[in-house]
């Protein structure tokens, strides 16, 4: 009885997970093979905003499917690859590109670890330089003079 219940639960969970294994609908492909190839090449350059580490061509997320559809609409209209990528970038920001353009923001993003390391080393160096030097031990003459100036603590 218990095994049967576990089997039904496992089958139910498998059925719930089945949509995750769905293959994208081939009907979204363009009829012209050259246009479809262009659309796939453009989609391979655009990031899925849900998955973030996959292109919209590789992702099965609903948003990626919608973005693939938009790319194919623009390709069918006869727009150039650059026009389509620029349109997507204006619409969704630089993050949509898997390989963002070189700009001040991307340079800063890549330079920040090095700048943080340099700043950390500079702060550590400043702290070490500001630390008081070790006081040299007293000479015999200084000890004798100190003993003369110090009040006697002996048992008189």
């Amino acid at each position: 009885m218990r095994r049967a219940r576990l089997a039904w639960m496992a089958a139910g969970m498998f059925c719930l997970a089945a949509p995750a294994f769905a293959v994208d609908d081939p009907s979204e492909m363009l009829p012209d093979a050259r246009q479809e190839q262009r659309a796939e090449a453009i989609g391979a350059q655009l990031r899925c905003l849900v998955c973030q580490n996959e292109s919209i061509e590789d992702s099965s997320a609903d948003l990626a499917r919608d973005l693939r559809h938009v790319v194919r609409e623009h390709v069918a209209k006869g727009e150039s690859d650059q026009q389509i990528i620029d349109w997507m970038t204006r619409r969704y920001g630089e993050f949509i590109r898997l390989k963002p353009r070189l700009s001040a923001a991307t340079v800063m993003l890549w330079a920040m670890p090095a700048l943080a390391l340099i700043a950390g080393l500079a702060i550590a160096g400043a702290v070490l330089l500001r630390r008081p030097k070790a006081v040299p031990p007293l000479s015999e003459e200084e000890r004798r003079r100190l003993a003369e100036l110090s009040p006697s603590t002996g048992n008189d």
Side-chain angles (χ1 to χ4, degrees):
M1 181 74 171
R2 188 172 189 174
R3 283 186 185 170
R5 190 178 306 161
L6 286 174
W8 279 106
M9 286 175 50
M13 287 194 289
F14 181 75
C15 289
L16 290 175
F21 302 123
V23 175
D24 290 322
D25 188 7
S27 68
E28 72 181 54
M29 295 174 63
L30 291 170
D32 183 357
R34 289 179 57 212
Q35 285 184 334
E36 177 60 28
Q37 191 174 22
R38 270 189 62 220
E40 288 176 7
I42 294 168
Q45 298 174 48
L46 300 174
R47 179 187 319 272
C48 173
L49 300 172
V50 176
C51 306
Q52 298 186 1
N53 284 329
E54 288 183 325
S55 72
I56 62 172
E57 288 298 318
D58 297 331
S59 175
S60 60
D62 290 339
L63 179 61
R65 187 177 320 112
D66 294 342
L67 292 175
R68 284 193 302 269
H69 181 72
V70 169
V71 167
R72 281 162 175 75
E73 283 179 351
H74 286 269
V75 168
K77 287 181 191 175
E79 294 180 19
S80 71
D81 294 6
Q82 193 59 48
Q83 286 175 317
I84 298 168
I85 291 173
D86 288 344
W87 184 89
M88 294 293 255
T89 303
R90 280 192 309 275
R91 173 85 181 190
Y92 297 102
E94 194 67 31
F95 186 72
I96 191 100
R97 293 171 175 253
L98 279 171
K99 294 180 182 173
R101 292 179 282 208
L102 186 63
S103 67
T106 55
V107 168
M108 284 301 291
L109 178 68
W110 286 102
M112 283 310 258
L115 293 175
L117 179 63
I118 291 168
L121 290 173
I123 291 170
V127 167
L128 289 175
L129 289 176
R130 205 181 294 170
R131 198 168 50 169
K133 306 270 189 258
V135 179
L138 296 175
S139 67
E140 284 300 319
E141 186 177 323
E142 289 171 330
R143 284 188 189 160
R144 193 177 69 243
R145 176 82 176 128
L146 182 62
E148 289 173 6
L149 294 175
S150 296
S152 173
T153 57
N155 296 339
D156 293 328

